[in-house]
Amino acid sequence: MTHPTIELACKLIEEKSVTPEDALCQPMMIERLEAIGFKVERLRFGDVDNFWAVRGDSGPLFAFAGHTDVVPSGKEAEWQHPPFKATIEGDLLYGRGAADMKGSLAAMVTACEEFVSQHPDHQGRIAFLITSDEEGIAINGTVKVVEWLEARNEKITWCLVGEPSSTNTVGDVVKNGRRGSLGCELRVIGKQGHVAYPHLASNPVHLAAPALAELAQEVWDEGNAFFPATSFQISNIQAGTGATNVIPGDLKVVFNFRFSTELSAEELQKRCENILRKHGLNFECKWHLSGQPFLTAKGELVAAAQKAIRDHCALETELSTAGGTSDGRFIAPTGAQVLELGPVNATIHQVNEHTSCEELIRLHNIYTSVLHNLLVAK
């Protein structure tokens, strides 16, 4: 199947850009964008390559955002086709990053090429915010670029993130927000001793159990029209020396809140620690806020995406905030309208990751129409 989007997606897949490496993905994109009038600034923070590219001098700013890094392939012998050799079988394009998110990146670039050829004097500005630090620890990627933009007082009006948002067919689901993520490393302090002499020790597992049960049963909020209720989940518990006759001296618990816009991270911390204190625990908490919740309930970007999907897919898209976090969490707090729109996510991070070539071409058409809907006079 020959189409500029498929051809570029194949080239990007064949760059082994395992996070935080970019390999040659960004130079490939930059060359194409500079050829159609984008001014590019390469931004390297730590060991991470990023770039910011802009076309146009004034007016509202529409930005495509995405990442060139991918997760490791795992055991290559388990793949039907080599993970870093793009393979087309029927309508399916196989390779690590085909769906997450090199297919989207290709569609963004080729959509801009088509749009600029049709509207060289378009209204407003078009930008690309691209990183190679999304699948990893995400400290030298989009968050740093956004800080750099804020220091220059550069404001994004609309941002379309190419994350694989779709469920069954491209465009059926668009993410118009994400829950916040607040993690905690809890240490409950007891006193080590012999299991035969419990009166001389203080077992932190026994002490913490009622408090953990209460945290798990607590109703943190009821959610709202866009978000489910906030959830609390324990992911790790560790205590003991490995010996069967020693009461542990401390208990370590790792847990996470995925929270809605109904309450803040500060409120969650306070309520959680109040429950721990109520149970008389001697404890320490190390909190980590991965991202605030964000929501684009309506606006020009939502309308532009809905119309584009309706025109090219003949369906009414579902607006959803389900799933994990994305780099949209760094962009939305600046005041931008943010949406995530990309391929079907059924095989992302899996062996034999793939996406539909036909749907990548449709995604190219959707992106082109979004640009038209926002940047061409009605």
Side-chain angles (χ1 to χ4, degrees):
M1 181 177 293
T2 58
H3 186 279
T5 301
I6 306 304
E7 293 170 0
L8 180 54
C10 288
K11 292 177 181 178
L12 292 171
I13 288 168
E14 296 195 349
E15 294 295 329
K16 194 173 183 179
S17 56
V18 177
T19 191
E21 295 297 323
D22 170 69
L24 295 175
C25 294
Q26 291 182 26
M28 198 184 306
M29 296 176 66
I30 287 169
E31 182 180 6
R32 302 275 288 254
L33 293 173
E34 287 181 332
I36 56 173
F38 279 80
K39 297 177 182 177
V40 180
E41 295 180 80
R42 294 169 172 82
L43 303 167
R44 186 170 175 85
F45 301 112
D47 60 351
V48 174
D49 289 308
N50 312 276
F51 77 82
W52 171 253
V54 180
R55 188 182 196 278
D57 298 316
S58 62
L61 177 59
F62 172 89
F64 284 114
H67 60 90
T68 56
D69 59 320
V70 297
V71 296
S73 62
K75 295 180 180 179
E76 295 194 10
E78 296 180 0
W79 284 68
Q80 181 178 345
H81 305 286
F84 295 102
K85 178 174 172 49
T87 304
I88 297 176
E89 190 174 273
D91 175 53
L92 299 181
L93 170 59
Y94 287 85
R96 177 58 85 221
D100 188 14
M101 56 174 289
K102 292 181 176 181
S104 297
L105 295 178
M108 291 172 180
V109 172
T110 59
C112 281
E113 290 172 336
E114 180 175 329
F115 178 76
V116 168
S117 70
Q118 296 171 350
H119 305 283
D121 300 317
H122 58 81
Q123 298 176 338
R125 294 170 292 160
I126 309 172
F128 278 73
L129 194 170
I130 305 298
T131 184
S132 63
D133 182 39
E134 195 273 347
E135 298 289 10
I137 55 178
I139 60 172
N140 286 315
T142 300
V143 64
K144 287 287 180 65
V145 179
V146 169
E147 290 173 359
W148 177 80
L149 291 171
E150 288 287 282
R152 303 197 327 177
N153 199 31
E154 181 76 274
K155 294 290 186 181
I156 297 171
T157 311
W158 309 293
C159 182
L160 196 158
V161 186
E163 290 293 343
S165 63
S166 304
T167 301
N168 297 308
T169 185
V170 68
D172 62 351
V173 176
V174 171
K175 299 295 175 67
N176 67 325
R178 293 281 192 166
R179 293 176 295 174
S181 177
L182 176 66
C184 182
E185 296 178 21
L186 167 67
R187 177 173 177 248
V188 179
I189 303 162
K191 182 180 179 182
Q192 185 173 301
H194 196 294
V195 296
Y197 302 94
H199 58 288
L200 299 178
S202 179
N203 193 320
V205 179
H206 296 181
L207 294 173
L212 296 178
E214 183 171 343
L215 289 170
Q217 294 168 6
E218 178 76 1
V219 177
W220 303 97
D221 61 37
E222 299 291 345
N224 55 39
F226 294 97
F227 289 95
T230 293
S231 70
F232 166 88
Q233 290 295 319
I234 295 172
S235 58
N236 289 275
I237 293 182
Q238 181 181 359
T241 64
T244 61
N245 59 352
V246 178
I247 292 171
D250 64 2
L251 168 70
K252 295 178 181 177
V253 183
V254 178
F255 58 83
N256 178 268
F257 289 100
R258 293 300 168 101
F259 63 103
S260 74
T261 50
E262 289 295 299
L263 73 177
S264 67
E266 291 76 18
E267 289 174 306
L268 279 174
Q269 290 182 34
K270 183 178 179 180
R271 287 174 60 184
C272 178
E273 292 184 6
N274 282 344
I275 289 173
L276 296 173
R277 290 191 189 95
K278 185 178 77 172
H279 288 269
L281 300 182
N282 182 10
F283 68 93
E284 299 170 352
C285 282
K286 292 183 180 179
W287 294 97
H288 175 65
L289 179 63
S290 298
Q292 297 282 5
F294 70 90
L295 178 67
T296 301
K298 58 183 179 180
E300 303 95 344
L301 182 58
V302 169
Q306 288 174 325
K307 184 178 187 307
I309 293 167
R310 194 179 301 120
D311 291 344
H312 294 287
C313 306
L315 56 82
E316 294 296 327
T317 192
E318 174 190 349
L319 297 177
S320 170
T321 62
T325 60
S326 78
D327 276 0
R329 69 189 189 273
F330 302 127
I331 300 167
T334 68
Q337 297 176 30
V338 178
L339 286 184
E340 299 172 27
L341 170 55
V344 170
N345 55 30
T347 64
I348 61 173
H349 294 207
Q350 295 183 17
V351 168
N352 295 323
E353 179 181 351
H354 60 269
T355 192
S356 160
C357 292
E358 180 183 345
E359 293 205 340
L360 278 187
I361 295 170
R362 198 174 300 149
L363 186 63
H364 157 97
N365 294 334
I366 292 169
Y367 288 169
T368 306
S369 289
V370 170
L371 289 168
H372 183 276
N373 294 340
L374 291 172
L375 300 179
V376 175
K378 305 299 186 289

Short mmCIF file of all heavy atoms in Angstrom, two decimals, residues 210-222 229-233 257 263 267-268 270-272 274-275 278-279:
data_model
loop_
_atom_site.label_atom_id
_atom_site.label_comp_id
_atom_site.label_asym_id
_atom_site.label_seq_id
_atom_site.Cartn_x
_atom_site.Cartn_y
_atom_site.Cartn_z
N PRO A 210 -5.90 -2.33 59.65
CA PRO A 210 -7.19 -1.64 59.69
C PRO A 210 -7.18 -0.32 58.92
O PRO A 210 -8.18 0.02 58.28
CB PRO A 210 -7.42 -1.40 61.20
CG PRO A 210 -6.56 -2.43 61.88
CD PRO A 210 -5.36 -2.56 61.01
N ALA A 211 -6.08 0.40 58.99
CA ALA A 211 -5.99 1.67 58.26
C ALA A 211 -6.02 1.44 56.75
O ALA A 211 -6.70 2.17 56.01
CB ALA A 211 -4.72 2.41 58.66
N LEU A 212 -5.29 0.43 56.29
CA LEU A 212 -5.30 0.13 54.86
C LEU A 212 -6.68 -0.31 54.39
O LEU A 212 -7.12 0.05 53.29
CB LEU A 212 -4.25 -0.94 54.54
CG LEU A 212 -2.79 -0.56 54.80
CD1 LEU A 212 -1.88 -1.75 54.49
CD2 LEU A 212 -2.39 0.65 53.97
N ALA A 213 -7.36 -1.07 55.23
CA ALA A 213 -8.72 -1.49 54.89
C ALA A 213 -9.64 -0.28 54.77
O ALA A 213 -10.47 -0.21 53.85
CB ALA A 213 -9.24 -2.47 55.93
N GLU A 214 -9.50 0.67 55.68
CA GLU A 214 -10.34 1.87 55.62
C GLU A 214 -10.02 2.69 54.38
O GLU A 214 -10.94 3.21 53.72
CB GLU A 214 -10.15 2.71 56.88
CG GLU A 214 -11.06 3.94 56.89
CD GLU A 214 -11.07 4.68 58.21
OE1 GLU A 214 -10.65 4.10 59.24
OE2 GLU A 214 -11.52 5.84 58.23
N LEU A 215 -8.73 2.82 54.04
CA LEU A 215 -8.35 3.57 52.83
C LEU A 215 -8.96 2.91 51.59
O LEU A 215 -9.43 3.60 50.68
CB LEU A 215 -6.83 3.62 52.69
CG LEU A 215 -6.09 4.52 53.68
CD1 LEU A 215 -4.58 4.30 53.58
CD2 LEU A 215 -6.42 6.00 53.42
N ALA A 216 -8.95 1.58 51.56
CA ALA A 216 -9.49 0.86 50.40
C ALA A 216 -11.00 1.00 50.28
O ALA A 216 -11.56 0.95 49.19
CB ALA A 216 -9.10 -0.61 50.48
N GLN A 217 -11.69 1.19 51.42
CA GLN A 217 -13.15 1.27 51.42
C GLN A 217 -13.67 2.71 51.35
O GLN A 217 -14.86 2.93 51.12
CB GLN A 217 -13.70 0.60 52.67
CG GLN A 217 -13.43 -0.91 52.72
CD GLN A 217 -13.70 -1.51 54.08
OE1 GLN A 217 -14.19 -0.83 54.99
NE2 GLN A 217 -13.36 -2.79 54.25
N GLU A 218 -12.77 3.67 51.52
CA GLU A 218 -13.18 5.08 51.55
C GLU A 218 -13.77 5.51 50.20
O GLU A 218 -13.28 5.16 49.13
CB GLU A 218 -11.97 5.95 51.87
CG GLU A 218 -12.24 7.44 51.89
CD GLU A 218 -12.97 7.91 53.13
OE1 GLU A 218 -13.27 7.08 54.01
OE2 GLU A 218 -13.24 9.13 53.23
N VAL A 219 -14.88 6.26 50.26
CA VAL A 219 -15.43 6.90 49.06
C VAL A 219 -14.83 8.30 48.98
O VAL A 219 -15.16 9.18 49.78
CB VAL A 219 -16.97 6.98 49.14
CG1 VAL A 219 -17.52 7.71 47.92
CG2 VAL A 219 -17.57 5.58 49.24
N TRP A 220 -13.92 8.47 48.04
CA TRP A 220 -13.18 9.73 47.95
C TRP A 220 -14.00 10.81 47.27
O TRP A 220 -13.91 11.98 47.61
CB TRP A 220 -11.85 9.50 47.23
CG TRP A 220 -11.03 8.46 47.91
CD1 TRP A 220 -10.94 7.13 47.59
CD2 TRP A 220 -10.22 8.64 49.07
NE1 TRP A 220 -10.12 6.47 48.48
CE2 TRP A 220 -9.65 7.38 49.39
CE3 TRP A 220 -9.89 9.73 49.87
CZ2 TRP A 220 -8.80 7.19 50.47
CZ3 TRP A 220 -9.04 9.55 50.94
CH2 TRP A 220 -8.51 8.31 51.24
N ASP A 221 -14.77 10.43 46.26
CA ASP A 221 -15.73 11.33 45.62
C ASP A 221 -16.67 10.47 44.78
O ASP A 221 -16.50 9.25 44.71
CB ASP A 221 -15.04 12.42 44.77
CG ASP A 221 -14.20 11.85 43.64
OD1 ASP A 221 -14.59 10.84 43.03
OD2 ASP A 221 -13.13 12.42 43.34
N GLU A 222 -17.64 11.10 44.16
CA GLU A 222 -18.61 10.37 43.34
C GLU A 222 -18.32 10.52 41.85
O GLU A 222 -19.11 10.06 41.02
CB GLU A 222 -20.03 10.88 43.63
CG GLU A 222 -20.47 10.71 45.07
CD GLU A 222 -20.69 9.25 45.45
OE1 GLU A 222 -20.77 8.40 44.53
OE2 GLU A 222 -20.77 8.97 46.67
N ALA A 229 -15.47 7.88 39.70
CA ALA A 229 -15.04 8.19 41.06
C ALA A 229 -13.55 7.93 41.23
O ALA A 229 -12.98 7.04 40.59
CB ALA A 229 -15.83 7.35 42.05
N THR A 230 -12.92 8.71 42.08
CA THR A 230 -11.51 8.53 42.38
C THR A 230 -11.26 7.13 42.94
O THR A 230 -12.03 6.63 43.76
CB THR A 230 -11.04 9.60 43.39
OG1 THR A 230 -11.09 10.88 42.75
CG2 THR A 230 -9.65 9.32 43.90
N SER A 231 -10.17 6.50 42.49
CA SER A 231 -9.85 5.15 42.95
C SER A 231 -8.54 5.13 43.74
O SER A 231 -7.63 5.91 43.48
CB SER A 231 -9.73 4.19 41.76
OG SER A 231 -8.58 4.47 40.99
N PHE A 232 -8.48 4.23 44.72
CA PHE A 232 -7.29 4.00 45.53
C PHE A 232 -6.87 2.56 45.31
O PHE A 232 -7.69 1.64 45.45
CB PHE A 232 -7.63 4.23 47.01
CG PHE A 232 -6.59 3.71 47.99
CD1 PHE A 232 -5.51 4.48 48.38
CD2 PHE A 232 -6.71 2.42 48.53
CE1 PHE A 232 -4.57 3.99 49.28
CE2 PHE A 232 -5.78 1.93 49.43
CZ PHE A 232 -4.70 2.72 49.81
N GLN A 233 -5.60 2.34 44.96
CA GLN A 233 -5.13 0.98 44.72
C GLN A 233 -3.74 0.78 45.32
O GLN A 233 -2.84 1.60 45.10
CB GLN A 233 -5.05 0.68 43.22
CG GLN A 233 -6.40 0.56 42.54
CD GLN A 233 -7.20 -0.63 43.03
OE1 GLN A 233 -6.65 -1.71 43.23
NE2 GLN A 233 -8.50 -0.43 43.22
N PHE A 257 -3.48 6.92 43.80
CA PHE A 257 -4.81 7.47 43.55
C PHE A 257 -4.89 7.89 42.09
O PHE A 257 -4.01 8.59 41.59
CB PHE A 257 -5.07 8.72 44.40
CG PHE A 257 -5.26 8.48 45.86
CD1 PHE A 257 -4.22 8.69 46.76
CD2 PHE A 257 -6.48 8.06 46.35
CE1 PHE A 257 -4.40 8.48 48.12
CE2 PHE A 257 -6.67 7.85 47.72
CZ PHE A 257 -5.62 8.06 48.60
N LEU A 263 -11.68 16.80 43.28
CA LEU A 263 -10.86 17.14 44.44
C LEU A 263 -9.40 17.27 44.01
O LEU A 263 -9.02 16.86 42.92
CB LEU A 263 -11.01 16.12 45.57
CG LEU A 263 -10.38 14.74 45.44
CD1 LEU A 263 -10.62 13.95 46.72
CD2 LEU A 263 -10.91 13.96 44.28
N GLU A 267 -5.95 17.75 48.86
CA GLU A 267 -7.06 17.21 49.65
C GLU A 267 -6.90 15.71 49.87
O GLU A 267 -7.15 15.21 50.98
CB GLU A 267 -8.38 17.49 48.93
CG GLU A 267 -8.81 18.95 48.94
CD GLU A 267 -10.04 19.18 48.09
OE1 GLU A 267 -10.04 18.80 46.90
OE2 GLU A 267 -11.02 19.74 48.63
N LEU A 268 -6.46 15.01 48.83
CA LEU A 268 -6.25 13.57 48.96
C LEU A 268 -5.18 13.25 49.99
O LEU A 268 -5.33 12.36 50.83
CB LEU A 268 -5.87 12.97 47.61
CG LEU A 268 -7.00 12.67 46.63
CD1 LEU A 268 -6.44 12.22 45.30
CD2 LEU A 268 -7.94 11.62 47.20
N LYS A 270 -4.18 15.06 52.52
CA LYS A 270 -4.66 15.40 53.87
C LYS A 270 -5.62 14.35 54.40
O LYS A 270 -5.48 13.88 55.54
CB LYS A 270 -5.34 16.78 53.84
CG LYS A 270 -5.81 17.25 55.20
CD LYS A 270 -6.43 18.65 55.11
CE LYS A 270 -6.93 19.11 56.48
NZ LYS A 270 -7.53 20.48 56.40
N ARG A 271 -6.59 13.94 53.57
CA ARG A 271 -7.56 12.95 54.02
C ARG A 271 -6.90 11.60 54.30
O ARG A 271 -7.24 10.92 55.28
CB ARG A 271 -8.67 12.80 52.98
CG ARG A 271 -9.63 13.98 52.94
CD ARG A 271 -10.63 13.85 51.80
NE ARG A 271 -11.46 12.65 51.91
CZ ARG A 271 -12.36 12.29 50.99
NH1 ARG A 271 -12.53 13.04 49.91
NH2 ARG A 271 -13.08 11.20 51.17
N CYS A 272 -5.95 11.23 53.45
CA CYS A 272 -5.25 9.95 53.63
C CYS A 272 -4.45 9.95 54.93
O CYS A 272 -4.53 9.01 55.74
CB CYS A 272 -4.35 9.71 52.44
SG CYS A 272 -3.37 8.20 52.55
N ASN A 274 -4.88 11.81 57.51
CA ASN A 274 -5.78 11.87 58.67
C ASN A 274 -6.26 10.47 59.06
O ASN A 274 -6.38 10.15 60.25
CB ASN A 274 -6.98 12.76 58.36
CG ASN A 274 -6.63 14.24 58.45
OD1 ASN A 274 -5.60 14.61 59.02
ND2 ASN A 274 -7.47 15.08 57.89
N ILE A 275 -6.54 9.62 58.08
CA ILE A 275 -6.95 8.24 58.37
C ILE A 275 -5.81 7.47 59.03
O ILE A 275 -6.02 6.72 60.00
CB ILE A 275 -7.42 7.54 57.08
CG1 ILE A 275 -8.76 8.14 56.62
CG2 ILE A 275 -7.55 6.02 57.29
CD1 ILE A 275 -9.24 7.64 55.27
N LYS A 278 -5.57 8.63 62.56
CA LYS A 278 -6.71 8.17 63.35
C LYS A 278 -6.45 6.78 63.93
O LYS A 278 -6.92 6.45 65.03
CB LYS A 278 -7.97 8.15 62.48
CG LYS A 278 -9.24 7.80 63.26
CD LYS A 278 -10.45 7.84 62.36
CE LYS A 278 -10.54 6.61 61.48
NZ LYS A 278 -11.82 6.53 60.73
N HIS A 279 -5.68 5.98 63.21
CA HIS A 279 -5.36 4.61 63.66
C HIS A 279 -4.09 4.56 64.51
O HIS A 279 -3.62 3.48 64.84
CB HIS A 279 -5.24 3.68 62.46
CG HIS A 279 -6.56 3.38 61.81
ND1 HIS A 279 -7.33 2.29 62.18
CD2 HIS A 279 -7.26 4.03 60.85
CE1 HIS A 279 -8.44 2.29 61.46
NE2 HIS A 279 -8.42 3.32 60.64
#
